[in-house]
């Protein structure tokens, strides 16, 4: 756990934005700006996080129906799942920096409102590309509310004990949203209706947030890092496009050109960040073992866990002939346990550091994935249950430890940036993991059952790599 002193605690008190209505009235009347309302802030940010994750996971159980309605070929189905994580990965770091500098409440409310609108538009899409663009916009909106939400919590809960409680609850609602999304979309009459319901839920949360949330920021001065944001976003688009197109052949010219473009754009981004006065991310953090452990934890959570479980429901519908609702109930065993464990993981504070929780979480996922081997070939969903239980517990530990490590790995006044950085790596991993899982599952000449086993084995290997990476990155001294 990070060490805290009086100066650290004093720095966590939010600085109210001079342009908010509350602050304007306070200045006019000579009163102090209203303090944050911790319980209400936790409730609103957790609710918005759950809705964002529900929109993220909604296509998991409706992918076959959505692909059929949009006439999406198998080779392009990765785009239906990868649109939201692409928007998330591209905008999380940008949103975190903007929230710290220009107002976390402002960015949070804008993101929640945009999520409601773009989710409704996704339900109206009539083509693969229109749906994908709507999903990218959903991801960008989710990035704004997720990154700024943790920043609001750090401002509302200045003590280490309070922050531990708040990040634990917030992480549990990440799992809760993952659990509820497939159930809602599977229970409603058609995937388009599900998008309408989720869009309305996001708009409701945005309306409540206007009345409840207090502004906080940590301005550094200077202009927004537009050049860095553009280079970083384009690099991620090129990378995800290469990973998705690589399914049809990794040695093709378009794939190679996209990968080369991603490398060049990352180099441009690095050069910009070294020169600008207010960079999106302080590159000096890359020398911090704690920051690197947070980033590695996010990356391998996306690669190993989210990548496998994003496509597994569609795979089970195709191989075990389960209905969307049956698949949603089966997935609830995994995601429901993840929610329950994340909610209780705060009890581990002081006994197991966040880095240790991450390692245990990855190893449990690894054992769970290996336990599920052969279940699809045996045409038995019952054989999946032990693996879903183990991986669900592991996922809960990951979701509880990641947000706490994210805000502890950076200076406290840059909490939203730290959250954005860790989640950026999480959804970069998700993009790559989804593309990899679909490629492994569908490219096997021995059929989907063999492909499923290959995808699960690779996910298990990535879980071991994730555990090793967070254990190796120890604090020195």
């Amino acid at each position: 756990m990070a060490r805290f002193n009086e100066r650290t605690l004093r720095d966590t008190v939010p600085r109210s934005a001079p342009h908010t209505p509350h602050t304007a009235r306070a200045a006019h009347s000579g009163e102090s700006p209203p303090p944050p309302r911790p319980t209400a802030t936790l409730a609103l940010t957790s609710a918005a996080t759950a809705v964002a994750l529900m929109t993220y996971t909604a296509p998991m159980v409706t992918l076959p129906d959505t692909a059929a309605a949009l006439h999406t070929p198998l080779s392009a189905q990765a785009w239906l799942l990868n649109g939201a994580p692409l928007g998330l990965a591209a905008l999380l770091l940008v949103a975190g920096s903007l929230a710290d500098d220009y107002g976390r409440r402002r960015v949070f409310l804008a993101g929640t409102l945009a999520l409601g609108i773009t989710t409704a538009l996704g339900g109206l899409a009539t083509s693969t590309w229109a749906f994908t663009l709507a999903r990218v916009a959903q991801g960008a909106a989710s990035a704004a509310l997720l990154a700024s939400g943790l920043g609001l919590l750090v401002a509302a809960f200045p003590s280490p004990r309070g922050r531990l409680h708040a990040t634990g609850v917030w992480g549990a609602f990440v799992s809760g949203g993952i659990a509820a999304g497939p159930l809602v979309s599977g229970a409603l009459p058609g995937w388009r209706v599900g998008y309408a319901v989720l869009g309305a839920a996001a708009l409701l949360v945005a309306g409540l947030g206007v009345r409840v949330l207090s502004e906080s920021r940590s301005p550094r001065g200077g202009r927004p890092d537009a050049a860095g944001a553009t280079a970083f976003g384009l690099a991620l688009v090129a990378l995800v496009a290469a990973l998705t197109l690589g399914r049809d052949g990794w040695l093709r010219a378009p794939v190679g050109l996209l990968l080369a473009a991603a490398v060049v754009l990352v180099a441009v981004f690095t050069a910009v960040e070294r020169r600008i006065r207010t960079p999106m991310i302080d590159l000096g953090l890359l020398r911090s073992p704690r920051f690197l452990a947070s980033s590695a934890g996010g990356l391998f959570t996306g690669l190993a866990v989210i990548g496998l479980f994003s496509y597994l429901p569609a795979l089970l519908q195709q191989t075990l002939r389960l209905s969307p609702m049956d698949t949603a109930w089966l997935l609830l065993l995994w995601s429901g346990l993840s929610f329950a464990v994340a909610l209780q993981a705060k009890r581990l504070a002081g006994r197991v550091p966040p880095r240790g929780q991450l390692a245990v979480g990855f190893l449990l996922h690894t054992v769970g994935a290996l336990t599920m081997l052969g279940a699809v070939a045996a045409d038995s969903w019952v054989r999946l249950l032990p693996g879903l239980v183990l991986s669900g517990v592991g996922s809960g530990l990951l979701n509880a430890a990641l947000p706490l490590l994210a805000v502890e790995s950076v200076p406290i006044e840059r909490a939203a940036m730290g959250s954005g950085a860790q989640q950026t790596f999480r959804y970069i991993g998700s993009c790559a993991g989804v593309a990899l899982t679909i490629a492994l599952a569908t490219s096997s000449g021995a059929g989907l059952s063999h492909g499923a086993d290959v995808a699960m084995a690779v996910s298990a290997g990535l879980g071991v790599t994730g555990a090793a990476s967070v254990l190796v990155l120890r604090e020195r001294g």
Side-chain angles (χ1 to χ4, degrees):
M1 300 288 290
R3 295 179 180 174
F4 296 89
N5 52 37
E6 292 182 2
R7 181 179 179 183
T8 301
L9 295 180
R10 187 168 58 250
D11 288 343
T12 62
V13 177
R15 304 179 185 178
S16 297
H19 302 296
T20 62
H22 290 296
T23 310
R25 286 197 298 269
H28 180 72
S29 63
E31 299 175 357
S32 299
R37 299 163 61 182
T39 301
T41 300
L42 178 57
L44 258 295
T45 54
S46 297
T49 296
V51 173
L53 269 296
M54 287 168 72
T55 64
Y56 180 91
T57 58
M60 288 183 179
V61 298
T62 60
L63 181 61
D65 291 341
T66 305
L70 301 178
H71 308 289
T72 307
L74 182 62
S75 59
Q77 287 186 16
W79 284 110
L80 301 183
L81 293 175
N82 263 347
L86 174 58
L88 277 159
L91 268 295
L92 272 164
L93 195 54
V94 181
S97 289
L98 289 176
D100 284 333
D101 287 340
Y102 298 99
R104 293 154 186 156
R105 175 183 183 272
R106 179 181 298 175
V107 172
F108 179 88
L109 293 177
T112 309
L113 177 63
L115 179 63
I117 295 171
T118 54
T119 300
L121 290 175
L124 298 173
T126 57
S127 68
T128 299
W129 282 109
F131 181 82
T132 300
L133 289 175
R135 291 286 289 169
V136 172
Q138 286 175 35
S142 298
L145 74 89
L146 289 174
S148 58
L150 268 182
L152 286 168
L153 288 182
V154 168
F157 292 86
S159 71
R161 182 181 180 86
R163 190 175 303 122
L164 174 66
H165 167 72
T167 55
V169 172
W170 188 91
F173 272 82
V174 170
S175 299
I178 292 172
L183 282 177
V184 170
S185 59
L188 293 172
W191 61 273
R192 296 184 188 275
V193 177
Y195 275 73
V197 170
L198 291 173
L203 294 176
L204 174 62
V205 173
L208 293 172
V210 172
R211 300 178 60 86
V212 168
L213 298 175
S214 298
E215 187 61 281
S216 68
R217 63 176 68 183
S218 180
R220 299 172 292 165
R223 298 179 178 179
D225 184 9
T230 301
F232 189 75
L234 290 175
L236 288 179
V237 171
L239 175 62
V240 173
L243 292 172
T244 304
L245 295 176
R247 178 187 177 279
D248 297 322
W250 293 102
L251 299 180
R252 294 185 301 142
V255 176
L257 290 174
L258 285 168
L259 289 174
V263 172
V264 171
L265 287 165
V266 168
V268 171
F269 170 73
T270 303
V272 169
E273 297 306 284
R274 290 183 181 279
R275 294 175 179 272
I276 196 168
R277 178 185 171 190
T278 53
M280 286 199 306
I281 183 171
D282 179 3
L283 296 181
L285 290 171
L286 297 178
R287 296 190 293 271
S288 166
R290 180 169 292 180
F291 180 81
L292 292 175
S294 172
S295 301
L299 178 66
F300 282 99
T301 296
L303 280 169
V305 183
I306 301 176
L308 176 62
F309 282 96
S310 291
Y311 189 64
L312 184 63
L315 188 62
L316 296 179
Q317 289 180 47
Q318 295 175 61
T319 55
L320 302 185
R321 299 169 296 282
L322 298 176
S323 69
M325 198 60 200
D326 290 338
T327 310
W329 283 114
L330 192 61
L331 192 66
L332 181 64
L333 180 62
W334 168 72
S335 54
L337 276 171
S338 178
F339 172 75
V341 170
L343 201 57
Q344 297 299 319
K346 61 186 178 182
R347 301 178 186 277
L348 296 174
R351 305 175 194 174
V352 182
R355 187 171 48 80
Q357 290 184 44
L358 290 178
V360 173
F362 280 125
L363 292 176
L364 284 172
H365 169 76
T366 295
V367 177
L370 293 175
T371 303
M372 291 190 291
L373 291 176
V376 175
D379 198 23
S380 171
W381 61 265
V382 176
R383 284 188 54 180
L384 293 169
L385 299 182
L388 292 173
V389 169
L390 289 169
S391 187
V393 174
S395 180
L397 292 174
L398 294 174
N399 288 335
L402 282 171
L404 181 60
L405 188 58
V407 299
E408 288 186 347
S409 66
V410 296
I412 203 66
E413 67 273 9
R414 300 304 315 281
M417 184 275 292
S419 169
Q422 179 259 112
Q423 292 184 83
T424 295
F425 283 100
R426 179 185 180 114
Y427 292 107
I428 289 174
S430 171
C431 290
V434 167
L436 178 63
T437 299
I438 293 178
L440 293 172
T442 61
S443 300
S444 172
L448 281 176
S449 60
H450 179 264
D453 283 347
V454 173
M456 291 173 187
V458 170
S459 177
L462 291 170
V464 172
T465 306
S469 67
V470 297
L471 288 175
V472 165
L473 294 168
R474 296 177 177 271
E475 294 282 357
R476 298 179 178 84

